[in-house]
Amino acid sequence: MNNSVSNTARLLGAGLRALLVLTLVTGVLYPLVVTGIAQALFQDKANGSELKADGRVVGSSLIGQAYNLPLKKGQETPEPDLKWFQGRPQNGLGTNSVNTQYKLILSGATNRSGDNKELVQWVKDAKAAVVKDNSTGAYQVKPSQVPADAVTSSGSGLDPNISPQYADIQVHRVAEKNGLSPDQVRKLVDEHTEGRTLGFMGEPRVNVLELNIALKELAAKS
């Protein structure tokens, strides 16, 4: 009887020591080492790929932002602030009360088929709006110029990037609204266009937040 109790006590003691060691290694030491390496070698990415403007953090290069005017009385959907480059449509899950402004609490795709009537109407409405918003007295956008990313949200609804084609059709409107020349704004787009990752993965892209930060700086100098 005494031997059985003694063996049980030894097993419990060994189990407790193993638990404490594993807790120390996996719950304290390992996270500290990984955090230390991340901060030393990949500080920007480890801290959320933050972007700064005017000395303060204004967002992340990984998450899109909305550039809208304040809601007017009676409005449910804000109008875009057309002095800024606009990102992809923000309703990644369609019309809902949560993910309408790149909200991180909820993300995802519409899960609607390509021939879904509601989705088709969204795309038609979005294309008409893109043509209207980006046409100026000196430049007329053609429906055939509107790329897919201008009228569809990404799979997450949080995409921070747009295609160079979508950025290009916004150049004249942005230039006019900010008192700049189209050549000045197009130069900004070219400077902020990234190629395919490693030369073959993904597509060329323009980060909208980074581009708008640069646009604000340029407009302030003009």
Side-chain angles (χ1 to χ4, degrees), residues 150-162:
V151 296
T152 58
S153 59
S154 63
S156 67
L158 305 175
D159 193 351
N161 303 313
I162 57 175

Side-chain angles (χ1 to χ4, degrees), residues 36-53:
I37 292 174
Q39 289 296 327
L41 301 179
F42 313 102
Q43 188 177 44
D44 176 62
K45 291 181 173 61
N47 292 328
S49 300
E50 296 174 337
L51 294 177
K52 293 184 178 181

Side-chain angles (χ1 to χ4, degrees), residues 125-173:
D125 292 344
K127 178 176 281 192
V130 168
V131 170
K132 177 178 178 292
D133 289 344
N134 292 288
S135 295
T136 68
Y139 179 76
Q140 182 67 38
V141 176
K142 300 176 182 177
S144 60
Q145 292 177 273
V146 180
D149 62 299
V151 296
T152 58
S153 59
S154 63
S156 67
L158 305 175
D159 193 351
N161 303 313
I162 57 175
S163 65
Q165 292 79 9
Y166 187 24
D168 186 63
I169 64 174
Q170 299 186 60
V171 164
H172 285 266
R173 181 254 299 163

Side-chain angles (χ1 to χ4, degrees), residues 17-93:
R17 287 193 296 272
L19 175 63
L20 292 174
V21 170
L22 287 171
T23 299
L24 178 63
V25 172
T26 62
V28 179
L29 296 180
Y30 177 73
L32 287 176
V33 170
V34 172
T35 299
I37 292 174
Q39 289 296 327
L41 301 179
F42 313 102
Q43 188 177 44
D44 176 62
K45 291 181 173 61
N47 292 328
S49 300
E50 296 174 337
L51 294 177
K52 293 184 178 181
D54 300 325
R56 63 188 181 88
V57 175
V58 294
S60 167
S61 63
L62 304 176
I63 303 295
Q65 289 193 17
Y67 293 89
N68 293 327
L69 296 170
L71 272 174
K72 298 177 182 178
K73 187 175 181 180
Q75 278 186 330
E76 292 185 1
T77 304
E79 298 174 3
D81 188 344
L82 297 180
K83 69 181 290 187
W84 304 109
F85 282 92
Q86 296 293 312
R88 299 184 67 168
Q90 301 152 26
N91 56 335
L93 289 172

